Amino acid sequence: GAVAVRRCKRWNRSADDFFIIAACAVGLGFLFAWLLYVAVTYSPEELWNMLRSGGIGSLFNGGMVFYGGLAGGVLGALLGARLAKARLADFLNPIVPVLPLAHAFGRIGCFCAGCCYGIPTTSRLGVVYTHPAGGAPIGIPLLPVQLFEAGLNLVIFCVLLVFTRRTKSKTLVLPVYIASYGCVRFFLEFIRYDAARGALLGLSTSQWISILGVLLSAAYIAAAVIRNKRKGAEAPRA
């Protein structure tokens, strides 16, 4: 949040508008992250049985899924911008690079809690949990995939900082971020070991979302490049 406020001031964006946008984005982000966790963890039959037995409260003891949070965050940001009577596109370059930075800290939290853990390993990188809060197997060396993702999120953060300094576009930073993280998440999913991720045709829910995000982002970036080339070709020459 502090980094985002500083970047907004540097880009001459209203900090007050940012706080409204951020509040709505965080609120809906948490809600959608929880909803996607419930959707990929429980079948409709299990949810119905929990509702009938009065055990629906146990749903609030579970985790969250980042992609749900990202979708909810975008919707919340749109709502916040509308409430603030601001253009969300004006805030993308200052704010979007901060998302992987925040995500990196979140993954460090996953590592400390023992959730979103990696596959068993015999290498020296293995981490053994004795009292995990997040359900990691006890006494088995596991790859710290959470820290791998945290490190790669920091790399994306640095890349986006450079990108926003060099681009003239107000909107390209978001698809660049989604495509970058989508590639990272797709491959890291192969070395994750937690079962509460959902699966279809051999790929996890997050991998399918990653594929969709990368394809849509690539299409948007390609369209923007073609549009800019056409504008350059149509520009009058002296």
Side-chain angles (χ1 to χ4, degrees), residues 11-162:
W11 288 71
N12 295 319
R13 305 292 187 256
S14 168
D16 292 337
D17 290 346
F18 162 73
F19 284 125
I20 296 173
I21 293 171
C24 294
V26 171
L28 283 185
F30 276 120
L31 175 61
F32 276 64
W34 173 75
L35 289 174
L36 186 54
Y37 168 80
V38 171
V40 301
T41 304
Y42 301 97
S43 67
E45 182 180 358
E46 289 174 322
L47 291 174
W48 175 246
N49 291 334
M50 294 171 70
L51 181 63
R52 291 179 58 188
S53 63
I56 201 73
S58 62
L59 293 176
F60 298 97
N61 297 326
M64 297 184 181
V65 177
F66 171 76
Y67 271 130
L70 181 61
V74 171
L75 292 176
L78 289 169
L79 173 62
R82 189 175 183 86
L83 292 175
K85 297 181 180 179
R87 294 181 69 247
L88 182 59
D90 293 336
F91 286 85
L92 292 181
N93 279 330
I95 295 177
V96 170
V98 182
L99 299 180
L101 175 64
H103 196 183
F105 283 100
R107 284 306 181 199
I108 293 173
C110 293
F111 172 75
C112 294
C115 64
C116 309
Y117 44 88
I119 59 176
T121 180
T122 56
S123 71
R124 295 183 179 181
L125 295 175
V127 175
V128 178
Y129 287 96
T130 56
H131 298 80
I138 296 175
I140 300 176
L142 304 171
L143 278 180
V145 66
Q146 312 98 318
L147 297 184
F148 298 163
E149 186 170 337
L152 290 169
N153 267 308
L154 291 177
V155 172
I156 296 175
F157 166 65
C158 294
V159 169
L160 294 181
L161 288 181
V162 175

